[in-house]
C-alpha cells in the first residue's frame, strides 16, 4: 500500500516539534509517578556554625529556574544576611555563606520550615569550610 501524500519542509518541522513536545510531556507524566527520594535524617548535631561557614543544602522538588528563584527567596527570608547565595535545579542544591553564628540544629529548623512552606523538601544540610569575610 502506497500513499501519495505531499509533505513539504514546514510540515516536517511542525511534526518534529510536536514529537519533541510529546516526548517532554511523557517525561513530565512519568516524573509524577516516580517515588520520591527518601528523606535523610538530619544529623541531630548541635554544633555551632560560625560566621563565614559555607552551607550546601539538598532540596527535593526543584524542577526549573523559577524553582531556583523560590528557593533563593526562601533562604533570604529565613536568613536575610546570608551571602553568596546560589541554587541549581539540575542538581537539586542551593549554597550560601552564613553571616551570623548559629547552631546547626537551629539552622536546619529554620530552613526546614521555610522550604516546607513553599512545597519543597529539605533533604540534607552539608557544612563546608569557613571562608574569610
Amino acid at each position: 500500500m502506497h500513499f501519495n501524500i505531499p509533505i513539504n519542509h514546514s510540515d516536517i518541522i511542525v511534526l518534529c516539534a510536536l514529537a519533541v513536545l510529546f516526548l517532554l510531556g511523557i517525561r513530565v507524566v512519568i516524573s509524577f509517578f516516580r517515588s520520591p527520594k527518601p528523606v535523610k535524617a538530619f544529623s541531630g548535631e548541635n554544633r555551632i556554625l560560625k560566621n563565614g561557614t559555607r552551607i550546601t543544602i539538598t532540596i527535593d522538588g526543584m524542577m526549573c529556574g523559577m524553582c531556583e528563584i523560590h528557593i533563593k527567596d526562601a533562604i533570604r527570608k529565613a536568613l536575610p544576611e546570608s551571602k553568596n547565595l546560589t541554587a541549581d535545579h539540575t542538581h537539586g542544591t542551593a549554597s550560601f555563606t552564613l553571616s551570623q553564628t548559629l547552631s546547626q540544629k537551629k539552622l536546619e529548623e529554620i530552613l526546614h520550615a521555610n522550604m516546607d512552606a513553599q512545597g519543597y523538601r529539605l533533604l540534607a544540610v552539608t557544612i563546608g569550610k569557613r571562608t574569610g569575610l
Side-chain angles (χ1 to χ4, degrees):
M1 191 183 265
H2 180 67
F3 296 104
N4 194 9
I5 301 172
I7 297 178
N8 60 23
H9 290 289
S10 61
D11 292 337
I12 293 172
I13 291 171
V14 169
L15 289 173
C16 289
L18 287 174
V20 167
L21 289 174
F22 177 75
L23 292 173
L24 288 174
I26 288 174
R27 182 174 179 227
V28 168
V29 169
I30 289 172
S31 71
F32 286 119
F33 294 105
R34 236 183 315 170
S35 61
K37 297 175 187 174
V39 177
K40 296 178 184 177
F42 289 115
S43 63
E45 289 184 34
N46 200 16
R47 70 182 197 194
I48 301 299
L49 305 173
K50 298 191 179 192
N51 181 9
T53 303
R54 188 75 180 161
I55 306 295
T56 302
I57 58 176
T58 306
I59 305 150
D60 183 34
M62 283 201 313
M63 296 184 161
C64 64
M66 198 64 189
C67 295
E68 293 176 2
I69 293 170
H70 291 155
I71 292 297
K72 287 180 182 180
D73 288 343
I75 293 171
R76 284 188 193 108
K77 183 179 176 186
L79 304 161
E81 297 181 10
S82 60
K83 307 235 186 259
N84 305 324
L85 182 57
T86 62
D88 182 7
H89 73 277
T90 58
H91 293 101
T93 60
S95 300
F96 58 94
T97 304
L98 283 177
S99 294
Q100 60 193 25
T101 301
L102 199 62
S103 72
Q104 183 173 348
K105 186 175 180 181
K106 183 69 174 168
L107 174 69
E108 289 174 355
E109 288 173 0
I110 291 170
L111 291 174
H112 200 23
N114 280 285
M115 299 297 147
D116 287 350
Q118 294 206 8
Y120 302 99
R121 284 192 317 170
L122 182 63
L123 299 176
V125 176
T126 307
I127 312 302
K129 296 181 180 178
R130 278 188 76 200
T131 59
L133 287 180

